[in-house]
Amino acid sequence: MVEYRAVFDAEVVFANGGGLRTDGFRLDVPDPEVTDDELAALLVRHLGLLMVGEVRISNRSVVEEPHKGGRGVATAPTGGGRRLVELSHEITDGMVTLPDLPAPRITDWLSREASRQRYAPGVEFHIARIDMIANTGTYVDTPSHRFAAAPDLAGVPLDRLADLPALVVRVPAGTRAVDRLLLAPYQVAGRAVLLHTGWDAHFGTDAYAAPDAPYLTGDGASWLVDAGAALVGIDSINIDDMTPAAAGERPAHTALLAAGIPIVEHLTGLGALPPTGFRFTAAPPRVAGMGTFPVRAFAVVDARPPSTSVDR
C-alpha cells in the first residue's frame, strides 16, 4: 500500500492575533490529490491549533513516503484481519551480536542417529544444546540486569512484556541521539515505545558497532519514565551511547530499569510496522537469577490501526 506525505511551507494567522510559519513541513496525507484547503485542515488538526483565522499553503509537493502518524490521517488498512510482524534477529551458530562478547554455539546433545538406539524402529528425535551468553540476538533487559536487588526474568510481570499497546518513533536518518524533543509529540503512557533508527540493517557486520550508532539519551530516557512508558525497544546495538566519549556511563539503562521499565535491544523489522495500532510482545523464559535473555519479539497489527502520535 503506497502512502503519501505532503512537503510544504505554511503561514498560520490566528484570529486573536499573532501567527506561525513553517518551512518544508512534512505531513501525512490520505492521497496525492489533497487540496490546499484539506492540507490546511490537516495541519491545524496535526498541531492541535486553536483560534486559527487563516492558513496559507505554498511550495507544496507530495511524495511517496510511509506515514509517520499524523493526527487526522488514519493508517491504511492492512488487507483484512490481523497480521504478525517478526521483530527478532535469528540466532545461529557462531553469530555475532556484540563484537566483544562470545558467539553462541549450537551442537547436538542427542543426535538423530544416536536416538535410534533408544526408541522403537522408525522413531527418532533430536535434542540440541546451545551454549550462549544472555546478551545474544534480540534480547530483553530486566531491572536486575542493572540493579542487584531488582526483579529478574522470573520477577517481571507478564503485563510488562506481552500484549502491550505500542507505537513506533521514526528517528530521522543520520540522527544519533534520541532526546526528549524527538519523543515529546508521542502519547507513550502505558505503551511499548519502539525506536526505529534503521540501524538493524548493519546487524552482523562491522558497521553495527560503529561509533555513529543511534542511542537514547539520558534526558530522553528520563522523559519516557516521567511520561509512563511501559517498555522501550530499539533496533540499534545498544540503547545507550557506547563510544569512549560516554565514559562507560549508561544513563538510559539506569533511568529505565530503575523505574521498572524493560528494555529490548537489537530489534529488527520496525519499518514494517504502522506508527500505532499494534500490540507488542517480547517475553523471555522465566529464568530465576538472570536479568537478560533472548526473546521472540513480535507485533500483532490490527487491520485498521488508529493514529495518535504527532511526529513529523
Side-chain angles (χ1 to χ4, degrees), residues 73-291:
V73 179
T75 304
T78 59
R82 300 189 301 169
R83 61 187 174 98
L84 297 175
V85 180
E86 177 69 71
L87 302 175
S88 289
H89 291 286
E90 182 180 9
I91 295 176
T92 59
D93 181 63
M95 69 176 282
V96 175
T97 301
L98 295 162
D100 56 343
L101 298 179
R105 295 300 173 190
I106 302 172
T107 57
D108 293 335
W109 184 82
L110 180 67
S111 68
R112 296 188 182 279
E113 293 76 10
S115 76
R116 294 169 191 156
Q117 308 302 315
R118 299 188 175 200
Y119 302 103
V123 178
E124 65 179 43
F125 294 96
H126 177 236
I127 301 177
R129 174 174 179 164
I130 184 167
D131 180 8
M132 69 176 187
I133 63 167
N135 296 48
T136 297
T138 303
Y139 54 80
V140 64
D141 292 340
T142 63
S144 74
H145 177 54
R146 174 69 176 80
F147 302 103
D152 59 11
L153 295 170
V156 174
L158 274 177
D159 61 8
R160 299 306 298 267
L161 300 165
D163 198 32
L164 292 165
L167 60 85
V168 176
V169 175
R170 309 286 187 202
V171 179
T175 299
R176 282 203 69 221
V178 180
D179 59 18
R180 71 170 57 217
L181 290 180
L182 280 174
L183 300 168
Y186 296 88
Q187 301 170 15
V188 305
R191 295 174 179 244
V193 179
L194 309 182
L195 307 180
H196 177 209
T197 71
W199 202 251
D200 58 316
H202 302 298
F203 187 84
T205 72
D206 292 342
Y208 194 58
D212 51 343
Y215 65 95
L216 176 66
T217 67
D219 180 63
S222 295
W223 185 90
L224 288 168
V225 170
D226 293 341
L231 177 149
V232 180
I234 191 169
D235 59 358
S236 187
I237 190 169
N238 199 290
I239 203 163
D240 272 299
D241 184 6
M242 295 178 64
T243 63
E249 297 288 341
R250 294 293 185 266
H253 275 92
T254 300
L256 295 173
L257 296 179
I261 299 174
I263 299 167
V264 181
E265 294 175 315
H266 310 283
L267 286 164
T268 189
L270 296 181
L273 295 175
T276 59
F278 64 95
R279 303 188 78 85
F280 177 76
T281 293
R286 195 179 183 190
V287 184
M290 294 185 70

Side-chain angles (χ1 to χ4, degrees), residues 38-58:
E38 291 169 336
L39 191 55
L42 286 171
L43 177 66
V44 170
R45 166 65 175 155
H46 180 78
L47 296 179
L49 301 177
L50 301 176
M51 303 290 290
V52 174
E54 183 182 4
V55 178
R56 305 186 188 105
I57 303 293
S58 60

